């Protein structure tokens, strides 16, 4: 089968478009003809070999997590899925046997593996995944939209529905509206929960798109102070919840924008891993700071239901053919996009 893989770590030039053996289909798995695979930052980190992601080659390693496609084969133990079903794949595979998995908290599974990082991924014509990781999508959802769903909406769902339990009367600050997680957070906060949404971004064009998605207010962080604007927009109180997926560069301003009792969720740190925490503010305002990484299988089922109803709609900026994966990685490094970059397979 055609696939995009690496045989060494490095820049986008190490991506090879070539032939790899098709995966077999185990009894608990479905084999999927991949139609679309969405890019994630993790793909770039895995390619570069940073952050504990260094691999030993050979064998070559196929990149990519999020994907959608058609079931072509179902293992003997599989129930509820059959060849021809259109599905989206949850790229995090958990063991299904540990106490966390059995308690429905498989997002905490110590033996979980991320497709494209720990194991071969979705930049390929075929993947085989546990049937519990494949979810049927409805006819009006495109493969590209579905592929853009899991890694953006899972952490957001985990953070807003489960951890913070954001309420309709509350105000949320979403950092960097143009990234996949930003576009997901605006939609879940607005269209599912009905909260007031303040988003940040860097250009008037991106601000207009954020407003279209549901942001009530947009702060341009290149010309406005995030703390001051967020306070001004909330009558001096500050926001109830912050969704942070960018970390370092924005944390001090966003943390200062929290009100008393506010909750600060982190699901990424693309601008830096280290921050200084003002402990005086933390305890006098009784704030919570917490992290999430993806979500549970239960979360995934709920998100796919919202997708299939049309309540949420992943934002796809651009689609590249699989053979142009290197150009797609280059585009992601240039930061000039709104939503997700997707490979058509
Ligand atoms: Zn487990």
């Amino acid at each position: 089968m055609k696939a995009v893989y690496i045989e060494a770590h490095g820049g986008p030039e190490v991506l090879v478009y070539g032939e790899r053996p098709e995966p077999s289909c185990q009894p608990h798995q479905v084999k999927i003809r991949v139609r679309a695979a969405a890019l994630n930052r993790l793909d770039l980190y895995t390619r570069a070999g940073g952050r504990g992601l260094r691999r030993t080659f050979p064998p070559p390693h196929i990149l990519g997590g999020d994907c959608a496609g058609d079931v072509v084969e179902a293992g003997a133990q599989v129930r509820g899925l059959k060849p021809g079903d259109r599905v989206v794949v949850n790229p995090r595979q958990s063991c299904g046997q540990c106490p966390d998995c059995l308690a429905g908290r498989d997002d905490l599974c110590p033996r979980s593996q991320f497709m494209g990082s720990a194991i071969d991924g979705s930049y390929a014509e075929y993947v085989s995944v546990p049937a519990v990781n494949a979810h049927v999508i409805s006819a009006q959802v495109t493969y590209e939209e579905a592929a853009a769903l899991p890694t953006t909406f899972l952490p957001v769902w985990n953070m807003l529905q489960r951890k913070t339990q954001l309420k309709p009367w509350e105000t949320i600050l979403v950092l960097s509206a143009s990234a996949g997680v930003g576009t997901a957070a605006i939609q879940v906060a607005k269209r599912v929960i009905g909260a007031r949404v303040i988003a940040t971004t860097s250009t008037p064009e991106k601000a207009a798109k954020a407003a279209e998605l549901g942001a009530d207010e947009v702060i341009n962080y290149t010309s406005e102070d995030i703390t001051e604007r967020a306070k001004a927009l909330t009558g001096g109180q500050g926001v109830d919840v912050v969704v942070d997926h960018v970390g370092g560069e924005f944390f001090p301003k966003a943390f200062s924008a929290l009100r008393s009792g506010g909750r600060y969720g982190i699901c990424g740190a693309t601008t830096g891993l280290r921050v200084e925490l003002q402990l005086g503010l933390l305890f006098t305002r009784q704030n919570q700071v917490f992290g999430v990484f993806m979500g549970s299988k239960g979360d995934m089922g709920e998100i796919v239901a919202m997708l299939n109803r049309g309540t949420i709609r992943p934002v796809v900026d651009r689609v590249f053919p699989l053979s142009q994966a290197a150009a797609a990685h280059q585009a992601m490094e240039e930061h000039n996009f709104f939503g997700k970059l997707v490979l058509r397979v």
Side-chain angles (χ1 to χ4, degrees):
M1 65 173 181
K2 286 275 183 275
V4 169
Y5 55 88
I6 55 173
E7 295 171 299
H9 291 301
E13 72 282 355
V14 302
L15 296 179
V16 180
Y17 175 68
E19 285 292 331
R20 293 295 300 147
E22 273 184 41
S24 61
C25 182
Q26 303 298 315
H28 68 295
Q29 289 182 322
V30 287
K31 183 171 172 179
I32 296 165
R33 170 64 172 92
V34 178
R35 298 294 176 187
L39 267 68
N40 287 308
R41 290 267 152 210
L42 181 63
D43 305 353
L44 275 59
Y45 299 145
T46 305
R47 188 204 71 217
R51 296 191 189 183
L53 294 167
R54 288 205 79 78
R55 306 185 61 86
T56 316
F57 302 98
H61 176 68
I62 301 174
L63 290 175
D66 294 338
C67 65
D70 302 309
V71 173
V72 292
E73 189 180 340
Q77 298 167 6
V78 173
R79 300 286 174 272
L81 286 171
K82 59 183 185 314
D85 284 344
R86 302 168 77 242
V87 293
V88 58
V89 172
N90 177 352
R92 193 148 182 237
Q93 301 182 6
S94 49
C95 77
Q97 298 172 33
C98 71
D100 291 315
C101 280
L102 294 175
R105 291 302 312 274
D106 52 279
D107 53 323
L108 302 176
C109 176
R111 283 183 277 170
S112 73
Q113 295 184 305
F114 213 103
M115 287 172 64
S117 178
I119 51 178
D120 269 338
S122 62
Y123 290 4
E125 287 181 305
Y126 294 93
V127 293
S128 287
V129 303
V132 290
N133 282 68
H135 299 256
V136 173
I137 54 172
S138 60
Q140 77 274 13
V141 177
T142 67
Y143 294 116
E144 288 81 9
E145 287 170 340
L149 181 85
T151 299
T152 50
F153 280 86
L154 265 177
V156 162
W157 198 262
N158 185 347
M159 194 185 285
L160 298 185
Q161 286 286 17
R162 204 134 53 75
K163 289 265 175 34
T164 69
Q165 300 184 17
L166 178 69
K167 303 298 183 201
W169 52 86
E170 292 186 314
T171 300
I172 182 173
L173 175 64
V174 176
L175 299 182
S176 190
S178 64
V181 168
T183 62
I186 292 171
Q187 293 187 55
V188 171
K190 192 75 209 175
R191 300 183 194 171
V192 179
I193 299 170
R196 181 176 181 223
V197 179
I198 302 173
T200 76
T201 194
S202 57
T203 69
E205 295 74 32
K206 289 178 176 176
K209 288 182 180 171
E212 231 171 83
L213 273 185
D216 298 286
E217 316 280 351
V218 185
I219 299 172
N220 184 330
Y221 63 76
T222 63
S223 57
E224 297 176 299
D225 183 278
I226 292 174
T227 312
E228 282 174 20
R229 280 292 291 152
K231 293 236 168 170
L233 290 168
T234 52
Q237 293 293 302
V239 300
D240 299 282
V241 171
V242 175
V243 175
D244 184 355
H245 53 103
V246 289
E249 206 174 299
F250 296 91
F251 179 87
K253 287 288 180 191
F255 183 68
S256 299
L258 268 188
R259 62 171 293 155
S260 288
R263 298 91 86 198
Y264 195 105
I266 301 164
C267 62
T270 52
T271 69
L273 291 168
R274 291 183 188 280
V275 296
E276 196 165 276
L277 183 60
Q278 222 281 32
L279 295 177
L281 281 180
L282 179 74
F283 75 80
T284 58
R285 293 190 321 198
Q286 304 186 61
N287 293 144
Q288 296 171 36
V289 180
F290 64 92
V292 303
F293 183 61
M294 300 296 280
S296 68
K297 290 192 165 58
D299 293 333
M300 184 71 187
E302 292 169 8
I303 296 163
V304 173
M306 292 286 95
L307 174 77
N308 285 342
R309 279 185 207 173
T311 311
I312 55 174
R313 193 164 179 203
V315 180
V316 175
D317 179 283
R318 247 173 298 166
V319 179
F320 297 76
L322 180 64
S323 58
Q324 301 296 311
H329 273 226
Q330 191 68 48
M332 191 165 210
E333 287 182 348
E334 285 161 9
H335 292 278
N336 188 25
F337 54 89
F338 190 95
K340 298 291 280 183
L341 303 175
V342 176
L343 302 173
R344 184 172 287 138
V345 183

